[in-house]
Amino acid sequence: MKITIDGREYEAQKGNSILQVCRILDIDIPTLCYDERLEPHSACRLCLVEVEGMKNLVTSCSTKIRDNMIIHTNSSKVVEARKDVLNLLISNHPMECLNCEKSGACKLQDYAYEYGLVDGEYSGDKRKANIDNSNHFYSYDPKKCILCGLCVRVCNELQCTNAIGFENRGFDTIVATPFNEGLENSTCVSCGNCVSICPVGALTPKPLEKYRHWETKKVRTTCSYCGVGCQLDLIVKDNKVLGAQPAIGGPNEGLLCVKGKFAYKFINHKDRLKTPLIKKDGKFVQATWDEAYRLIRNKTKKIKNESGPDAFAGLTSARCTNEENYLFQKFFRAVIGTNNVDHCARL
Ligand code: SF4
Ligand code: SF4
Ligand code: SF4
């Protein structure tokens, strides 16, 4: 289809929304409730654009392109409407950026800065509900919740746990987390995908220690807990892992389970083994890798010579990657010479 965006003509694929086409073309449209993995929701109204021939502005996330459509993404009418939307949002939002864990990684903060808003001009009731700290891994602050619905939709549409939904109406609306009613009644599996997707500081992980996002770097890695091989970004400050964020792409497409999301504290734990240990006189003592490999090689050779290759059995782990498991069986079959090899998944 032929469409015109901000005065330039483009060819675009039929069936796409205006927002999808703009993302492909690298044309910036702000969003707070949109995620390409989820059905469009049109809740935040920030993605409004002007379409010639249409009386009202339309939400670009839910409006499909038509042939010869003429779209304006940045006209003064559009900018004023976005400012109004942001104004309404921050009028009902405690601007606590100075002390908010999300500061520096918050989309509302970024847009308020981009559109030059300091404080909301509308007065009215503010949300009153208290912070919910009942989950072991994360907190929910209803006062900072902008009701974008991303957490509810990721839980329902992608995680398929259906553990949360909206409760109450108007200023009293909150994301109802069944763990409020007691963990024993909840279907929540603490995967934290709601936390990962929250664009503001409403759902935040309970931090290991305080940090600011701009002090950290992200290190892309593979989760070491199971063979799915989820991709994630570790949030690292001074060589210490302080959080984990799922990566879009890979086998997990922006999702993690509770282990990948929250169980990273072993990495910097003081009890973690950093060298091999060899038992000497009934006690484990620290050794170098060279010493450990020499011991393994010598013992393996001795047992193989004395009792043959079938004296060995190898059991590998779901915490290894596919490639590691492949190498393990290859080592047992080709180097040791036995088919006695299995995997903990069959235990
Ligand atoms: S959620 Fe965002 S805008 Fe709100 S206080 Fe935190 S950083 Fe500021
Ligand atoms: S908790 Fe976060 S993701 Fe969920 S509705 Fe509120 S702002 Fe959106
Ligand atoms: S343990 Fe969870 S996060 Fe890690 S790879 Fe497996 S499914 Fe993914």
Side-chain angles (χ1 to χ4, degrees):
M1 286 181 164
K2 258 203 186 80
I3 56 168
T4 305
I5 307 177
D6 299 334
R8 258 184 86 173
E9 267 195 20
Y10 299 95
E11 297 276 342
Q13 187 75 39
K14 188 180 173 186
N16 278 334
S17 67
I18 297 172
L19 183 63
Q20 282 169 322
V21 171
C22 287
R23 294 249 158 130
I24 292 166
L25 296 170
D26 228 4
I27 296 168
D28 186 45
I29 293 181
T31 62
L32 282 167
C33 74
Y34 181 76
D35 186 292
E36 61 192 11
R37 298 166 297 163
L38 302 168
E39 289 297 315
H41 195 49
S42 306
C44 74
R45 321 298 292 179
L46 253 196
C47 71
L48 290 170
V49 293
E50 197 175 350
V51 174
E52 286 192 16
M54 293 180 90
K55 198 168 146 222
N56 297 321
L57 299 178
V58 297
T59 46
S60 60
C61 68
S62 57
T63 308
K64 299 265 190 249
I65 56 160
R66 279 183 282 102
D67 208 15
N68 297 316
M69 211 178 206
I70 301 175
I71 302 153
H72 301 279
T73 69
N74 219 9
S75 62
S76 52
K77 197 172 165 188
V78 168
V79 171
E80 282 315 306
R82 285 183 192 151
K83 277 188 178 171
D84 253 356
V85 169
L86 286 168
N87 206 337
L88 281 163
L89 278 175
I90 63 174
S91 293
N92 188 27
H93 189 92
M95 296 306 280
E96 295 170 356
C97 306
L98 284 178
N99 264 303
C100 181
E101 301 289 342
K102 193 78 174 185
S103 192
C106 171
K107 285 183 88 175
L108 184 59
Q109 189 187 44
D110 289 348
Y111 290 141
Y113 176 72
E114 186 181 335
Y115 286 84
L117 294 160
V118 178
D119 209 353
E121 290 167 0
Y122 299 99
S123 58
D125 265 354
K126 299 250 181 193
R127 250 188 280 282
K128 296 178 198 77
N130 292 326
I131 296 176
D132 182 346
N133 271 318
S134 58
N135 185 278
H136 187 69
F137 301 106
Y138 56 86
S139 309
Y140 172 58
D141 185 350
K143 291 191 231 37
K144 290 185 191 160
C145 178
I146 57 169
L147 303 176
C148 68
L150 281 170
C151 56
V152 175
R153 287 181 291 141
V154 83
C155 183
N156 295 353
E157 290 179 34
L158 297 182
Q159 173 64 22
C160 301
T161 301
N162 297 298
I164 48 178
F166 286 120
E167 196 174 86
N168 305 330
R169 289 285 179 272
F171 286 115
D172 295 327
T173 310
I174 56 166
V175 174
T177 45
F179 50 76
N180 289 342
E181 295 152 17
L183 266 175
E184 66 280 7
N185 299 322
S186 171
T187 55
C188 172
V189 291
S190 296
C191 65
N193 289 315
C194 53
V195 179
S196 300
I197 206 170
C198 181
V200 296
L203 275 165
T204 48
K206 289 180 177 168
L208 198 58
E209 59 184 62
K210 287 184 118 178
Y211 67 89
R212 299 314 246 164
H213 284 275
W214 52 87
E215 299 171 326
T216 64
K217 63 176 177 179
K218 285 184 177 168
V219 180
R220 179 68 48 91
T221 189
T222 305
C223 174
S224 60
Y225 275 111
C226 92
V228 174
C230 293
Q231 297 296 293
L232 52 93
D233 288 325
L234 293 175
I235 297 165
V236 181
K237 181 188 167 192
D238 299 334
N239 224 19
K240 198 167 182 185
V241 176
L242 297 175
Q245 192 67 10
I248 303 284
N252 51 314
E253 284 293 352
L255 302 177
L256 290 174
C257 79
V258 61
K259 292 182 281 180
K261 177 69 184 169
F262 295 115
Y264 54 81
K265 291 168 195 163
F266 71 93
I267 301 170
N268 296 102
H269 199 280
K270 63 178 176 37
D271 292 345
R272 189 178 167 194
L273 296 181
K274 292 184 178 151
T275 66
L277 301 177
I278 292 178
K279 210 176 220 179
K280 287 179 185 161
D281 302 326
K283 275 194 177 159
F284 282 115
V285 291
Q286 288 194 349
T288 64
W289 282 106
D290 276 349
E291 286 171 313
Y293 286 135
R294 206 175 309 124
L295 181 75
I296 294 166
R297 194 177 60 223
N298 292 343
K299 285 206 167 183
T300 308
K301 268 188 182 167
K302 189 167 177 277
I303 295 168
K304 195 171 165 179
N305 288 340
E306 286 172 4
S307 312
D310 281 338
F312 291 89
L315 186 68
T316 183
S317 163
R319 287 189 62 173
C320 299
T321 62
N322 237 6
E323 292 77 6
E324 287 162 344
N325 278 311
Y326 175 81
L327 283 174
F328 187 83
Q329 64 80 32
K330 196 78 178 166
F331 175 73
F332 262 74
R333 293 198 165 102
V335 179
I336 294 188
T338 179
N339 284 327
N340 292 343
V341 58
D342 212 335
H343 184 273
C344 73
R346 302 208 318 162
L347 266 178

